Amino acid sequence: MILGTAGHVDHGKTSLVEVLTGINTDKLPEEKRRGMTIEPGFAHLTRSTGEVVGLVDVPGHEKFVKSMVAGAGGIDVVLFVIAADEGLMPQTREHLAICSLLGIKNGLIVLTKIDIAQTLGEEFISLIESDVRALTAGTFLEKSPIVRVSSKTREGIPALQTAIETLVSVAKKGANRHENRPLYFPIDRAFSVAGFGTIVTGVLHSGTITVGDELALSPKTELVRVRSIESHGKRLNTIGTGQRAALNISAQALPGRGDVLVRPHEYAAARRLDVSLTLLPDAKKPLGKRSVVTVLMGTKSHEAKVRLLQPLLEPGQSCFAQLLFDEAVASYPKQHCVLRVNNSAGAVTVGGAEVLILGAPKRRDDQLLKSFSSGNLATKVDCLLRDAGFRGLTLSQVALHLGVHENELKNSIDEQLASKKCILIGYIQHLAHGEKTSHLMSGFHWQRLLRKVNYFVQQFHDKNPSLPGIPKEELRQRLGLLHEKTFNKLLIESKTLVVEESTVRLTQREAPIGAELIHAAAASVLALLTQLGLGPPLASELATKLRLTDVALGQACALLLRENKVIKAGDFYFSREAIDALELKLRSHFETHETLSTQELKELVQQSRKFLIPIAEYFDREKITLRVGDVRRLRNK
Ligand SMILES: Nc1nc2c(ncn2[C@@H]2O[C@H](COP(=O)(O)OP(=O)(O)O)[C@@H](O)[C@H]2O)c(=O)[nH]1
Ligand SMILES: [Mg+2]
């Protein structure tokens, strides 16, 4: 739990901290007990519960901005100080804007030097209070109580202590929610003590640290072990979110200010971050679509390119943007950063950014970020999977990107799997902890992939009509060297593809048949039809009878029809030979008869009735006979 002071210079911040804690933060630190030093600007007070609450009070505007960002994840409550005899001043506004940018949620407004202001009259103090209310309207301080105090006479101090106690309890509930988040401990000081080892100090933004933990020192990947923890002069076994501590770690080399302690498998360093960017109302000019800024993040400052996802950002407005760093930075979702630009007067704070997605792809518009930032957990998962494309993500990667633990995602993922919004590709062993984690792909990309693979196979068939199909490995390469498991699942699940040995072909496409095979098939069809004369099997039965594939039979029959060796009548093929012989018999019948009845035809054909109608209709169609009522006559006698 950390409290911070904010407010204009000389408004009584340090005096107030001294009255509350007995510690003068302006004095140089004299404590060097066991080598663990607490930094200047840090004091602490003990709650009635015995819990120690840290208090940050740094002199000067520059240090204020830096220490606020350094503690941003951890600063739970701000004591917003305004001298009652002077009222609002430039830094009062600036500090309020910065606290808002940093996402600080709880605060108290403290009117100091009330002993002096009282000599100016109650009306004067009320006027200042109404100025304060006007300034804080719409900010996190809108509903905060205004507490009047004097650090000189101690008037109002007990009331302030009660107010702090109440607010700390409220803030603590919020802070507890962050204990489960991935660990993030930005180092603000590192030094070594002879015979003792390496000491690092900082505020724990999220997670918990316990003696014996093995952590990683980001952006390097060195693993370090926590040997001991000290917080506010006490040896502790564990610290939680918002606690300021000095850690004795086993490190090869001295870590730099700005390095971050993380848990190895919870950590995602990224060069590109999606952010929600806000420009301060009193920024001197709008921010261009492409700008260069300094980003204060944790205890480090980085140069970054800003790419706004809209043409321009006016002072006081917010928009989505991407920050591109020269090298990967250690960040976490929802981290608050401060943006500064350099001008002739030095570095000026112009705005802030809240991290949305780490390691995002380059974006052209803010569509996805809009749904991501306004959506529920399921929508956020969907957005991340969409970003990941055909690669997909493991469940632990999704969790990492959302800054939650895997088990918090279980319900949401199960629902999405059921509704096919996402697809389970398989399981992958986690590199860091060895447990299995599911490999997921967005349902949207899965459908795209199915269409794409079909298209490639079709294209291959078109270009290579004589080949049976595309070699499997060639197909996988065309799909951008798809993950082996994804590729195999795709082949299994696609209803339009068949894998034969090491080639893939479309289901509806049979292996192409050579001319020789077609001729052989045609010969066997013709032999059977000739043998059976006017009593052939149904056309649909020929393939099985002759053990030919449908395609081979189709091609053989087409050839025989072209060569006029068979005719098609109804559901049957007849050999030309049998039909010609029948035609001769018909003609000789008509030499002695005017008409031909069905019974007479049956006697000529010598086959069962099912063949008669197709045959009779064939002769009608060929304009040899003409049907008149129940009988047939010969045409062109
Ligand atoms: N009379 C009176 N003087 C105060 C009070 N608080 C601070 N001061 C004086 O105001 C000056 C600036 O105080 P300081 O705490 O250093 O302000 P800071 O710059 O905001 O930390 C010092 O001379 C203090 O003694 C107060 O409540 N009453
Ligand atoms: Mg001071």
Side-chain angles (χ1 to χ4, degrees):
M1 183 63 44
I2 299 270
L3 267 61
T5 61
H8 198 73
V9 65
D10 276 347
H11 273 202
K13 298 182 292 294
T14 302
S15 310
L16 185 65
V17 170
E18 190 169 2
V19 169
L20 289 170
T21 67
I23 299 166
N24 185 330
T25 55
D26 275 355
K27 280 198 189 134
L28 283 174
E30 61 270 13
E31 62 269 68
K32 273 212 167 146
R33 300 177 308 99
R34 288 198 311 261
M36 291 205 180
T37 319
I38 301 296
E39 225 187 327
F42 281 90
H44 56 270
L45 50 87
T46 310
R47 291 179 69 188
S48 51
T49 57
E51 186 199 347
V52 179
V53 177
L55 231 164
V56 201
D57 170 50
V58 287
H61 182 67
E62 195 62 13
K63 277 200 175 150
F64 166 79
V65 176
K66 289 202 166 134
S67 76
M68 272 300 188
V69 182
I75 289 183
D76 307 283
V77 178
V78 163
L79 299 181
F80 196 65
V81 170
I82 299 147
D85 63 337
E86 204 170 40
L88 305 184
M89 293 295 281
Q91 278 172 9
T92 318
R93 296 171 200 282
E94 272 180 68
H95 287 193
L96 177 63
I98 288 165
C99 291
S100 301
L101 284 180
L102 291 172
I104 291 167
K105 296 276 180 295
N106 304 293
L108 279 177
I109 301 165
V110 189
L111 275 195
T112 52
K113 308 195 187 181
I114 205 74
D115 55 304
I116 305 177
Q118 270 155 359
T119 63
L120 302 166
E122 173 59 27
E123 205 176 324
F124 181 86
I125 302 174
S126 311
L127 216 62
I128 285 185
E129 283 189 349
S130 60
D131 283 353
V132 174
R133 282 293 176 218
L135 175 72
T136 55
T139 72
F140 71 102
L141 289 175
E142 182 161 29
K143 295 205 168 64
S144 302
I146 299 179
V147 190
R148 300 177 177 188
V149 301
S150 164
S151 301
K152 202 171 172 189
T153 66
R154 289 188 65 93
E155 185 186 339
I157 295 297
L160 178 61
Q161 281 165 330
T162 313
I164 290 175
E165 182 67 27
T166 311
L167 206 54
V168 164
S169 320
V170 173
K172 189 143 177 64
K173 285 185 192 126
N176 282 345
R177 287 200 295 273
H178 298 291
E179 309 259 289
N180 293 326
R181 300 282 171 259
L183 173 76
Y184 193 88
F185 183 91
I187 295 169
D188 54 25
R189 245 162 32 110
F191 50 92
S192 48
V193 176
F196 201 74
T198 306
I199 311 291
V200 293
T201 63
V203 175
L204 181 56
H205 280 212
S206 57
T208 55
I209 298 178
T210 303
V211 172
D213 276 357
E214 190 172 51
L215 306 177
L217 203 53
S218 166
K220 289 167 250 151
T221 46
E222 189 190 340
L223 292 180
V224 300
R225 194 168 291 280
V226 180
R227 289 203 190 116
S228 64
I229 303 173
E230 192 177 308
S231 183
H232 305 298
K234 278 205 185 106
R235 279 266 195 153
L236 298 175
N237 191 44
T238 297
I239 51 161
T241 298
Q243 255 178 297
R244 180 172 179 79
L247 312 177
N248 179 359
I249 58 170
S250 61
Q252 303 276 307
L254 196 62
R257 179 190 162 91
D259 287 354
V260 184
L261 282 174
V262 294
R263 267 184 224 294
H265 63 272
E266 285 179 348
Y267 161 64
R271 274 194 65 206
R272 189 181 282 111
L273 302 180
D274 284 321
V275 296
S276 163
L277 204 148
T278 304
L279 206 55
L280 286 174
D282 51 3
K284 291 282 176 292
K285 51 182 182 184
L287 195 65
K289 185 160 183 158
R290 290 162 174 269
S291 324
V292 175
V293 294
T294 301
V295 181
L296 299 187
M297 179 184 270
T299 49
K300 201 165 189 168
S301 68
H302 308 263
E303 285 274 289
K305 290 180 182 129
V306 182
R307 295 288 176 267
L308 299 184
L309 297 175
Q310 67 177 40
L312 199 72
L313 183 62
E314 298 287 349
Q317 303 288 305
S318 300
C319 77
F320 294 111
Q322 296 200 296
L323 297 180
L324 184 67
F325 298 87
D326 289 337
E327 55 190 350
V329 295
S331 177
Y332 60 91
K334 300 197 184 83
Q335 180 171 28
H336 288 272
C337 325
V338 159
L339 303 188
R340 320 188 86 191
V341 292
N342 287 309
N343 65 13
S344 50
V348 190
T349 301
V350 292
E354 182 180 355
V355 176
L356 298 172
I357 300 177
L358 291 97
K362 203 169 175 175
R363 299 191 196 283
R364 284 192 192 85
D365 59 55
D366 61 3
Q367 285 306 335
L368 186 128
L369 291 179
K370 269 187 186 147
S371 15
F372 182 87
S373 63
S374 61
N376 57 15
L377 203 55
T379 308
K380 289 191 198 310
V381 173
D382 188 48
C383 289
L384 291 176
L385 287 175
R386 278 196 182 224
D387 268 354
F390 295 158
R391 277 179 298 114
L393 287 175
T394 64
L395 184 58
S396 49
Q397 283 171 322
V398 174
L400 197 81
H401 282 298
L402 293 176
V404 300
H405 278 278
E406 283 182 38
N407 48 19
E408 291 175 66
L409 290 174
K410 201 182 171 308
N411 288 344
S412 163
I413 296 281
D414 284 349
E415 268 170 39
Q416 297 202 54
L417 284 173
S419 67
K420 297 243 159 46
K421 265 201 119 170
C422 87
I423 304 288
L424 177 68
I425 302 296
Y427 295 92
I428 292 180
Q429 199 148 20
H430 196 292
L431 285 177
H433 52 62
E435 280 166 37
K436 280 189 177 162
T437 172
S438 13
H439 180 191
L440 305 166
M441 188 191 279
S442 127
F444 168 78
H445 289 307
W446 181 251
Q447 292 304 325
R448 270 185 62 217
L449 198 53
L450 280 170
R451 288 197 294 275
K452 198 162 179 168
V453 71
N454 253 305
Y455 172 76
F456 284 151
V457 177
Q458 177 69 61
Q459 207 181 37
F460 185 89
H461 282 320
D462 293 347
K463 280 192 190 148
N464 308 278
S466 61
L467 292 179
I470 180 169
K472 247 172 117 173
E473 198 48 38
E474 185 180 332
L475 182 61
R476 193 165 82 97
Q477 291 200 1
R478 292 220 56 188
L479 291 166
L481 273 180
L482 206 57
H483 192 281
E484 188 93 39
K485 276 192 181 144
T486 312
F487 185 58
N488 288 336
K489 186 182 169 76
L490 196 64
L491 294 183
I492 291 166
E493 299 216 343
S494 162
K495 293 189 174 64
T496 52
L497 298 179
V498 183
V499 186
E500 267 166 2
E501 288 169 23
S502 58
T503 61
V504 183
R505 63 170 171 83
L506 290 176
T507 322
Q508 78 260 26
R509 178 161 177 134
E510 298 275 347
I513 315 157
E516 262 174 58
L517 277 173
I518 297 170
H519 279 105
S524 64
V525 172
L526 190 58
L528 183 75
L529 292 180
T530 311
Q531 186 202 336
L532 296 175
L534 296 172
L538 281 166
S540 57
E541 290 169 353
L542 279 172
T544 23
K545 275 209 151 59
L546 294 167
R547 293 178 191 225
L548 295 172
T549 62
D550 285 339
V551 173
L553 179 77
Q555 297 204 15
C557 291
L559 179 69
L560 291 170
L561 283 171
R562 269 202 311 275
E563 292 178 342
N564 200 19
K565 287 182 176 153
V566 301
I567 63 120
K568 179 98 194 274
D571 295 330
F572 303 97
Y573 285 104
F574 295 94
S575 72
R576 167 59 64 194
E577 199 184 292
I579 287 295
D580 283 353
L582 180 61
E583 190 184 334
L584 283 179
K585 284 186 187 171
L586 267 184
R587 287 187 186 278
S588 69
H589 171 86
F590 282 115
E591 276 170 19
T592 52
H593 298 77
E594 236 353 76
T595 60
L596 175 78
S597 69
T598 311
Q599 186 52 38
E600 286 165 332
L601 180 65
K602 188 169 189 297
E603 278 158 25
L604 293 178
V605 172
Q606 295 281 325
Q607 292 289 347
S608 71
R609 278 191 172 267
K610 67 177 176 188
F611 299 105
L612 297 186
I613 295 161
I615 289 174
E617 284 175 352
Y618 167 77
F619 284 116
D620 291 344
R621 205 167 64 230
E622 291 292 304
K623 301 212 162 50
I624 292 164
T625 54
L626 178 71
R627 186 176 171 178
V628 185
D630 284 344
V631 296
R632 284 185 164 78
R633 291 171 183 277
L634 187 66
R635 286 204 197 209
N636 314 322
K637 216 171 188 178

